[in-house]
Amino acid sequence: MATTDERSQDRAQPHVIVLFGATGDLARRKLLPGLLRLFEAGLLRDAMIVGTSLETMADEDFLKLARQACEEFGKGTITDARWEPFAQMLTYVSTAEGPHELADAVKAAEKKLATLGRDVRRLHYLSVPPKAALDVIRQLEEADLVENARIIMEKPFGTDLESAKVLNAKIHEVFAEEQIFRIDHFLGKEAAQNILAFRFANGLFEPIWNRNFIDHVQIDVPETLGLEGRTAFYESTGAYRDMVVTHLMQILAFMAMEPPTSLAPGPISDEKNKVFRSIRPLDPKNVVRGQYMGYRGKEEVADDSDTETFVALKVIIDNWRWAGVPFFLRTGKKMAEGARIISIAFKEPPLTMFPAGSNAGTQGPDHLTFDLADQSKMSLSFYGKRPGPGMKLEKLSMQFATSDTSSAGSVLEAYERLIHDAMRGDHTLFTTAEGIETLWEISQPLLDAPPPVRLYAPGSWGPNAIHQLIAPHAWRLPFERSWRETNTTSR
């Protein structure tokens, strides 16, 4: 557990957090429980939280909603003794009452914090649909709440290069780039950050992190959930815009970037943007789009909808480190399993010295796997000799999970970490305007001429064409072995 001194170093200066969309699904599921967790971890002591949305309600009603959200989606039992200290930080104002009412609510919250004798900063979290973001920014400008403020913006950030440029330009009319935090909750996960530690803190792996030793990389994020209730959003977005540009490409950058001069926001962003600039424009021939059976004709979906609920693609990085190493990305809805993995397949050594029947090479290449799910696991699979007579090989694995460490109780969930980072002004895990625009630029050939969607059965791994896309390799999911659940080794 963190010491008192460590917590005080990590604690941000006093803040008024303005939570737009405070009654929405994201706020209920992640943001309100996350703010409670930060408060209880000692990282959000000197703060006030102003919730705002279109609904008209009293502070008491918002407190009731917030407590219900924390009870349903937070951790542990919410007793009165646990809830009351946090509840004192919460107030509410309706967006419909106009910018001046919002300004009054924020300034009243700031007045309560002014007795601490330190400057009070503002953090505006825009938990609103993308089309509403500019309206919120204009409201903040009218309310004179831009100074000494930062904003967190949800994805997707634009729908193509032109819209991303327009959106960036309009936001920059009000906020400077250093005030803007474009959130990607995938990068807030412990396992995603562990990629940087794993690569750059260990002499064992960085020397082989290149085309000479790595055969290919898979970034795979299948989901079992469908799109019930979200079809209107998805019809204007699709799996590529929703998941690949905003999430999977960011993870790819962590995997492929060169060592930064330091683990500071500027150098890390520079190296990520170099990766984006090195990606070859996407060839529609290297993309498989799918749509699960039953998606069409329901709610706001046309009978001939061409929106993809699944996408798999091959990404080529044209630089010295990765020349000739394909990166395969896959994500989709209503698939066989839910997972979030990165799998690095190493090149196989010559195996001619092993006798016939030894099983050498029969179970695929060695893999290093990062599990980006909440358990934050890593696994290294390799061949070893099976005990007994003769030379019989079998696939073994070494595994690590955050839960195995003494610091497991200090793990912050993705949204918790990213809110805390934004309060401290740390851009390390956030995307930049340049990075977003570069990704839309390389995406344009695909957006201009998308391949037709192929139907796939719910509960499957996507259209059959994904096997031709990755050939002569094979998809890592479904796993050839399970994750270890006990202290015994499993295959």
Side-chain angles (χ1 to χ4, degrees), residues 120-368:
V120 179
R121 292 201 66 98
R122 300 161 180 164
L123 178 68
H124 307 304
Y125 196 120
L126 275 59
S127 178
V128 297
K131 61 183 180 182
L134 287 178
D135 290 336
V136 172
I137 287 171
R138 281 191 287 269
Q139 186 178 22
L140 288 170
E141 184 179 27
E142 289 180 34
D144 194 24
L145 295 176
V146 175
E147 185 180 358
N148 211 26
R150 302 182 179 110
I151 60 168
I152 298 178
M153 301 191 66
E154 282 286 336
K155 56 91 176 176
F157 203 85
T159 57
D160 54 21
L161 178 59
E162 182 180 358
S163 63
K165 285 184 173 180
V166 169
L167 183 56
N168 278 325
K170 288 186 177 295
I171 295 172
H172 287 156
E173 291 175 0
V174 180
F175 288 94
E177 178 65 20
E178 58 267 22
Q179 293 178 279
I180 304 168
F181 292 75
R182 300 170 187 82
I183 198 168
D184 172 18
H185 68 271
F186 272 50
L187 294 187
K189 295 179 177 295
E190 283 285 340
Q193 297 166 71
N194 227 341
I195 296 169
L196 299 181
F198 198 84
R199 286 188 58 187
F200 301 131
N202 297 293
L204 180 62
F205 289 100
E206 180 56 25
I208 61 172
W209 211 266
N210 56 59
R211 57 186 165 79
N212 297 319
F213 297 94
I214 293 178
D215 184 74
H216 69 279
V217 177
Q218 297 179 33
I219 302 175
D220 210 350
V221 185
E223 298 180 273
T224 57
L225 295 176
L227 289 162
E228 293 77 8
R230 297 184 64 216
T231 51
F233 163 74
Y234 234 70
E235 276 297 284
S236 62
T237 307
Y240 181 80
R241 289 179 171 92
D242 181 44
M243 291 293 294
V244 177
V245 175
T246 52
H247 294 322
L248 274 62
M249 286 291 193
Q250 303 297 328
I251 294 295
L252 180 148
F254 267 26
M255 285 294 305
M257 63 189 280
E258 295 297 320
T261 55
S262 70
L263 291 180
I268 287 180
S269 291
D270 290 344
E271 297 304 335
K272 284 175 58 183
N273 289 340
K274 287 179 186 177
V275 173
F276 297 148
R277 291 195 296 268
S278 299
I279 295 176
R280 189 181 299 172
L282 298 181
D283 185 346
K285 295 178 182 177
N286 290 332
V287 179
V288 175
R289 296 169 69 236
Q291 186 185 91
Y292 64 77
M293 298 175 187
Y295 173 79
R296 293 176 181 172
K298 291 185 178 180
E299 300 175 30
E300 301 179 27
V301 182
D303 291 339
D304 60 349
S305 170
D306 191 49
T307 299
E308 79 276 3
T309 62
F310 169 98
V311 64
L313 59 153
K314 179 166 70 173
V315 176
I316 303 298
I317 301 176
D318 278 332
N319 64 18
W320 183 266
R321 182 183 291 261
W322 297 113
V325 179
F327 285 69
F328 296 100
L329 281 54
R330 177 174 65 170
T331 187
K333 306 294 184 183
K334 283 203 173 181
M335 298 184 69
E337 295 178 21
R340 297 172 178 180
I341 72 157
I342 306 165
S343 186
I344 298 100
F346 292 98
K347 291 185 176 180
E348 296 189 68
L351 299 171
T352 54
M353 78 287 290
F354 289 95
S358 67
N359 294 330
T362 58
Q363 297 182 52
D366 298 342
H367 281 87
L368 176 64

Side-chain angles (χ1 to χ4, degrees), residues 29-188:
R29 288 178 176 272
K30 295 293 184 181
L31 304 182
L32 289 167
L35 289 167
L36 172 61
R37 166 83 169 117
L38 286 174
F39 171 72
E40 294 183 331
L43 302 174
L44 192 69
R45 290 293 179 181
D46 305 327
M48 294 292 293
I49 301 166
V50 179
T52 182
S53 65
L54 290 173
E55 288 84 352
T56 299
M57 63 174 68
D59 283 353
E60 294 75 15
D61 296 325
F62 178 63
L63 286 172
K64 183 178 179 181
L65 180 150
R67 180 164 180 169
Q68 288 173 344
C70 293
E71 289 175 341
E72 184 175 359
F73 300 107
K75 295 179 180 178
T77 302
I78 307 294
T79 63
D80 288 346
R82 181 183 174 193
W83 178 251
E84 285 306 319
F86 180 68
Q88 294 177 17
M89 301 168 62
L90 300 174
T91 59
Y92 182 83
V93 60
S94 173
T95 309
E97 295 181 17
H100 299 297
E101 290 294 327
L102 177 63
D104 289 344
V106 172
K107 289 171 183 175
E110 289 175 340
K111 188 175 181 180
K112 291 182 180 180
L113 296 172
T115 57
L116 297 172
R118 291 187 289 162
D119 289 341
V120 179
R121 292 201 66 98
R122 300 161 180 164
L123 178 68
H124 307 304
Y125 196 120
L126 275 59
S127 178
V128 297
K131 61 183 180 182
L134 287 178
D135 290 336
V136 172
I137 287 171
R138 281 191 287 269
Q139 186 178 22
L140 288 170
E141 184 179 27
E142 289 180 34
D144 194 24
L145 295 176
V146 175
E147 185 180 358
N148 211 26
R150 302 182 179 110
I151 60 168
I152 298 178
M153 301 191 66
E154 282 286 336
K155 56 91 176 176
F157 203 85
T159 57
D160 54 21
L161 178 59
E162 182 180 358
S163 63
K165 285 184 173 180
V166 169
L167 183 56
N168 278 325
K170 288 186 177 295
I171 295 172
H172 287 156
E173 291 175 0
V174 180
F175 288 94
E177 178 65 20
E178 58 267 22
Q179 293 178 279
I180 304 168
F181 292 75
R182 300 170 187 82
I183 198 168
D184 172 18
H185 68 271
F186 272 50
L187 294 187

